[in-house]
Amino acid sequence: MYTQKIAITFENHKQNVQKMAKIEEIQDIVVQTRRDILRMVHKVNSGHPGGSLGCTEFLVTLYNELMDLNDGFDMDGIGEDLFFLSNGHISPVFYSVLARKGYFDVDELNTFRLIDSRLQGHPTTHEGLPGVRIASGSLGQGMSVAIGAAQAKKLNNDPKLVYSLHGDGELQEGQNWEAIMYASGKKVDNLIATIDLNGQQIDGSTDTVLPMGDLKAKFEAFDWEVLEIKEGNDVQAILNGMQEAKNKTGKGKPVCVLLHTVMGNGVDFMMHTHAWHGKAPSDEQLATALEQNAETLGDY
Amino acid sequence: MKKYVDQGKNDTRSGFGAGMTELGRTNPKVVALCADLIGSLKIQQFIDENPDRFFQIGIAEANMMGIAAGLTIGGKIPFTGTFANFSTGRVYDQIRQSIAYSGKNVKICASHAGITLGEDGATHQILEDIGLMKMLPGMVVINPCDYNQTKAATIAIADYEGPVYLRFGRPKVANFTPVDQKFEIGKAVMLNEGTDVTIVATGHLVWEALQAAEALETQGVSAEVINIHTIKPLDDEAILKSVKKTGCIVTTEEHNYLGGLGESISGLLATQHPTPQEFVATQDTFGESGTPAQLMEKYGLNNKAIEKAVLKVLKRK
């Protein structure tokens, strides 16, 4: 379905062919990542598939197309773009994307949430998993960390960017607003903070739990550059929107991307509901979900 | 007993400031963060000399801890500065997840610890911070005794890789540590060898312990005085060696007896060498407004209180 969209988007045939190949490659990783997520949470009967599936297109595109990454991993990440996952509960998608990118063996996805694993329920540096630079899970802390890393890059005259991802419900944590105020006040313009706007949190929709009003207006009032990606599960829309976001960096303001996503995207019975925020599928549900996402790169 | 001379009263926070000035000149990785308390933390000179390496965060301590964690990614050594209350209790989860659990090389530098910040009263007088910090896995907890030792500790922790809590205070207190004394993390300082009782002290109560030991000497009591500037990791060996000789111990600190140095030592002794112990510490209470001297008197934290505790513990041998 995504390749059909792309074919419509691009008129220049040559460019179209090239882009289609790239989009198809990304889409193959997306589908495989969905399978990884579903199988990981099913195996241990715990974890957070809903938000993971909702952010799969974004994270796969970020790591495989948008970010400028070094070969290999070290904690300081000098000379490469950095990513911080603030809403750590969507660890399944993070782990799958890292493994498929080569940070560690995909077979290690088998150990998710098991004793002695580097793939803890929420991401951590504590077990030395390559690709992870900060522990997250207790919400609301990632933006501050991303800002610190962005300011370290400035001190190091490192022109690369810092990306971060945050849940929309997570913005209810007050520390975010300290960080949002600081980032613009101190002109942290090498930061692109993306908000996963799926409108859902554990107890229901964000509007019923705690309405947050107009987030675009709020970020703008805090003097951020804000742009929206309305089709946050469309790889081409993500590519276009994030390229625009990159173009807005380095101009004195931090950049916020409001990424409209569908929780549980790619699995019909998991979509448009908060029910799958932190629930694993049964054997039958897994089979149905996998049928909807045929193997592309090979299961781990 | 060995004589110690006060080289002139000074505040330990100024020792921190002097240490930061030196680090600014010697270690380009060191950066400083402050939550709107530059004057209180005495870091103006560091800022004047290294404006690019200073981050004014504003009154937002949670954000400060997160930014400090982020600055380590890229090789910086961040020193955060605010009052002890806002360095610990206010931001416990930020420290726990983003610094301690994440294993980040952040130095949490806390001024105005304990009740002796004085007139501001209990909202600002934290007596629980040592306990909060020592319970975090991997966190080093340091509480130096005077200006010179605070300066030396500030410089020393920059060379240690990992999270550190450095605790100091507001009032001017006796400055008796030799200016050239090397600061070794986790290594107790033997101040006076004695045979009847071990007095273990931390922070500026080390000076009070020395005063108490002098008074006790006139009563025929030989007190061994040990400065435990590093509460975690604790110098088990120095403490055990001493109590095996003296047979009793008094621990003294400007902190709640729950969660403090005395508690750490009682845990050590209970498992290694059961020994009668008395605690000179606050007794599970909040503080209040007053002068530092008045508060130390009222809350039983001065040399007289230590002397009294020694006489009591001697009877329990």
Side-chain angles (χ1 to χ4, degrees), chain A residues 137-149:
Chain A
S138 176
L139 293 172
Q141 300 187 28
M143 198 179 299
S144 303
V145 175
I147 288 168

Side-chain angles (χ1 to χ4, degrees), chain A residues 75-78 82 84 120 122-127 133-139 141 143-149 151-152 155-156 175 178-179 182 186, chain B residues 31 52-53 55-76 90 93-95 97-104:
Chain A
M75 186 53 75
D76 286 348
I78 306 282
L82 304 180
F84 293 97
Q120 292 289 297
H122 294 80
T124 175
T125 57
H126 200 257
E127 319 300 334
R133 290 194 163 88
I134 196 76
S136 60
S138 176
L139 293 172
Q141 300 187 28
M143 198 179 299
S144 303
V145 175
I147 288 168
Q151 293 199 293
L155 276 181
N156 291 334
Q175 184 183 345
E178 295 182 0
Y182 179 91
K186 302 290 180 174
Chain B
V31 298
D52 295 343
R53 290 197 272 146
F55 299 90
Q56 172 59 273
I57 307 295
I59 311 166
E61 294 82 6
N63 191 35
M64 178 165 72
M65 293 305 167
I67 290 175
L71 280 161
T72 66
I73 301 163
K76 304 305 166 193
R90 188 179 181 94
D93 191 47
Q94 283 79 16
I95 294 174
Q97 176 172 285
S98 293
I99 296 174
Y101 184 46
S102 291
K104 296 306 181 199

Side-chain angles (χ1 to χ4, degrees), chain A residues 38-46 109-111 114 300:
Chain A
L38 292 160
R39 295 175 67 235
M40 285 161 78
V41 298
H42 171 263
K43 179 179 177 184
V44 292
N45 194 28
S46 72
L109 297 175
N110 258 318
T111 69
L114 296 178
Y300 59 82

Side-chain angles (χ1 to χ4, degrees), chain A residues 216-229:
Chain A
K216 184 166 190 286
K218 283 187 165 70
F219 271 94
E220 283 174 347
F222 278 75
D223 209 22
W224 282 54
E225 281 286 355
V226 186
L227 61 92
E228 292 198 69
I229 300 178

